[in-house]
Amino acid sequence: MEIKLHSFNLELKHTFTISRESHDFQPSLIVELISDGISGFGEATSNPYYNITVDNMMKIILENKSKITSLSKEEPIIFWKKLQPIFKDNMFALCALDMAFNDLNARKKGKKLYEIWNLKVDKNPMTDYTIGIDSVEKMVTKMKELPWPIYKIKLGTKNDIEIVKELRKHSDAIFRIDANCGWTADEAIENSYKLKELGVEFLEQPLKADDIEGAKKLYKNSALPIIADESCIVESDVEKCAGLFHGINVKLTKCGGLTPGKRMLEKAKSLGMKTMVGCMTESTVGISAIAHLLPLLDYVDMDGGLLLKKDIAKGITIKDGVISYADKNGIGVSLL
């Protein structure tokens, strides 16, 4: 098995702002695993919050090249299990490898990845489209630029309720709110009642990840479901979130890929929690991988490719929130 690494600096259509950062470009690493003339692709983007860069992902992969290639005959579950101890401090790099290996394995077997997993795709949820923090005027412009059935709105400002009230004047779409740890428990409780009246479906990670007492208070008193993001990073976090959150948002880059991500979703379902997968502004490579988990999800945020000025791959397509799979096997992608 051969490893090829492709680095990109993805330019965004608009400056993307959340409660703690803004950026115009998203560095990304594409891992290509080649065996028997067949390529599998995986992706992970950089993230300053988790101290992940394209360089440190490439470094750890290249340092462990021989170990990775020695596992070429294994099944994806074993591939991930044997690499996890090496990559435990860089799960983003492990995600790109795991994604590529799942893709390669499915392509070798002549099947789409969801077929390998025996999942039915006839009841897949629609994806939301994210509106980053900006002036209200620019947020409205972004909504008008791409009319959509579900919007995920980034908040964490001093004027959050006013922002949503203004956006509501311009759309009947479902709203989802992601405060990215920007509120206190009392703010979140108060906001939940106001936002419910404005047609908001749920609140994603309104409190800091370490605010356990606040999470308990919010869980008991919120008018809206609370979905964990920064509080649910790896598999062991799922059980910890039960009783503190109504659901979890799994990020494949954070947990180390499709293999653990699928287990996290299955665990959450067994605990009676809602399930979601979110993206980290990946290209169509990473977004296409998420699509194969759709049958396990209640909600999905896989708009990364839609936020880019120019994509670097083709695979799944999205129209008015509805996801269509590519004809190719595996996760169904090819680089442009």
Side-chain angles (χ1 to χ4, degrees):
M1 185 168 67
E2 182 186 351
I3 303 174
K4 281 188 179 178
L5 302 180
H6 311 267
S7 64
F8 295 93
N9 199 21
L10 307 173
E11 187 175 4
L12 308 181
K13 287 178 183 174
H14 301 284
T15 299
F16 191 74
T17 301
I18 63 173
S19 62
R20 57 176 176 260
E21 63 182 83
S22 295
H23 56 276
D24 296 294
F25 290 86
Q26 177 59 68
S28 180
L29 175 67
I30 305 294
V31 171
E32 180 181 2
L33 298 179
I34 308 163
S35 179
D36 300 328
I38 300 171
S39 289
F41 297 94
E43 180 175 17
T45 52
S46 68
N47 192 292
Y49 184 77
Y50 295 98
N51 298 312
I52 298 297
T53 65
V54 167
D55 285 345
N56 65 33
M57 285 191 284
M58 291 177 70
K59 183 173 184 288
I60 192 169
I61 290 170
L62 293 174
E63 285 174 350
N64 293 282
K65 189 175 181 179
S66 60
K67 175 64 175 176
I68 296 163
T69 55
S70 73
L71 301 173
S72 63
K73 303 299 182 186
E74 301 286 2
E75 286 296 309
I77 290 173
I78 303 302
F79 178 85
W80 188 89
K81 185 178 181 180
K82 290 189 174 180
L83 289 182
Q84 191 275 337
I86 299 169
F87 286 86
K88 64 182 186 298
D89 295 324
N90 196 325
M91 299 295 264
F92 284 59
L94 181 56
C95 169
L97 286 165
D98 173 79
M99 200 179 285
F101 197 72
N102 271 283
D103 185 24
L104 178 62
N105 180 65
R107 290 189 197 222
K108 282 186 169 185
K109 293 177 178 176
K111 293 185 177 182
K112 292 180 170 61
L113 184 54
Y114 68 76
E115 294 173 330
I116 294 285
W117 289 338
N118 294 313
L119 297 176
K120 305 295 182 187
V121 297
D122 55 324
K123 296 180 181 177
N124 285 351
M126 292 193 296
T127 181
D128 57 38
Y129 179 75
T130 305
I131 305 295
I133 295 172
D134 212 323
S135 67
V136 175
E137 294 77 18
K138 287 185 179 178
M139 292 174 82
V140 169
T141 298
K142 290 174 189 176
M143 288 173 58
K144 290 183 175 179
E145 183 182 279
L146 193 64
W148 211 253
I150 312 168
Y151 289 110
K152 179 174 174 177
I153 301 161
K154 295 285 189 176
L155 295 179
T157 75
K158 290 185 170 70
N159 308 299
D160 286 339
I161 302 302
E162 288 75 14
I163 289 170
V164 179
K165 281 181 178 177
E166 186 59 34
L167 297 183
R168 179 49 80 201
K169 294 176 185 176
H170 302 274
S171 175
D172 294 327
I174 294 168
F175 285 176
R176 297 167 177 172
I177 301 302
D178 184 359
N180 285 112
C181 312
W183 296 343
T184 65
D186 289 337
E187 279 179 311
I189 292 166
E190 182 181 347
N191 288 346
S192 73
Y193 285 87
K194 296 174 181 177
L195 292 169
K196 185 175 182 178
E197 292 179 3
L198 290 166
V200 169
E201 186 174 27
F202 63 72
L203 305 179
E204 184 180 334
Q205 196 72 42
L207 312 184
K208 288 183 170 59
D210 60 359
D211 187 2
I212 305 301
E213 291 307 311
K216 289 178 184 176
K217 183 177 181 180
L218 177 58
Y219 180 78
K220 290 177 182 175
N221 296 287
S222 175
L224 291 169
I226 310 297
I227 307 296
D229 180 357
E230 285 87 347
S231 292
C232 192
I233 296 173
V234 294
E235 290 182 72
S236 58
D237 292 331
V238 179
E239 277 194 88
K240 296 174 188 174
C241 287
L244 297 178
F245 297 89
H246 302 91
I248 62 166
N249 181 7
V250 173
K251 300 290 182 63
L252 300 183
T253 50
K254 297 180 189 179
C255 71
L258 289 161
T259 299
K262 180 170 175 283
R263 290 195 294 254
M264 290 173 74
L265 296 169
E266 291 166 344
K267 181 65 175 178
K269 280 187 171 295
S270 77
L271 294 169
M273 301 173 80
K274 294 291 187 180
T275 54
M276 178 177 180
V277 167
C279 63
M280 303 284 276
T281 325
E282 294 96 334
S283 74
T284 287
V285 174
I287 299 303
S288 293
I290 290 172
H292 294 265
L293 292 167
L294 285 172
L296 298 174
L297 305 182
D298 295 296
Y299 319 115
V300 68
D301 172 33
M302 47 185 292
D303 61 351
L306 300 171
L307 300 173
L308 304 179
K309 264 194 181 178
K310 185 179 179 182
D311 212 328
I312 57 166
K314 60 181 180 179
I316 61 106
T317 54
I318 304 173
K319 183 174 175 58
D320 297 325
V322 178
I323 298 99
S324 299
Y325 293 92
D327 292 333
K328 288 183 171 62
N329 290 323
I331 63 173
V333 301
S334 57
L335 294 183
L336 296 173

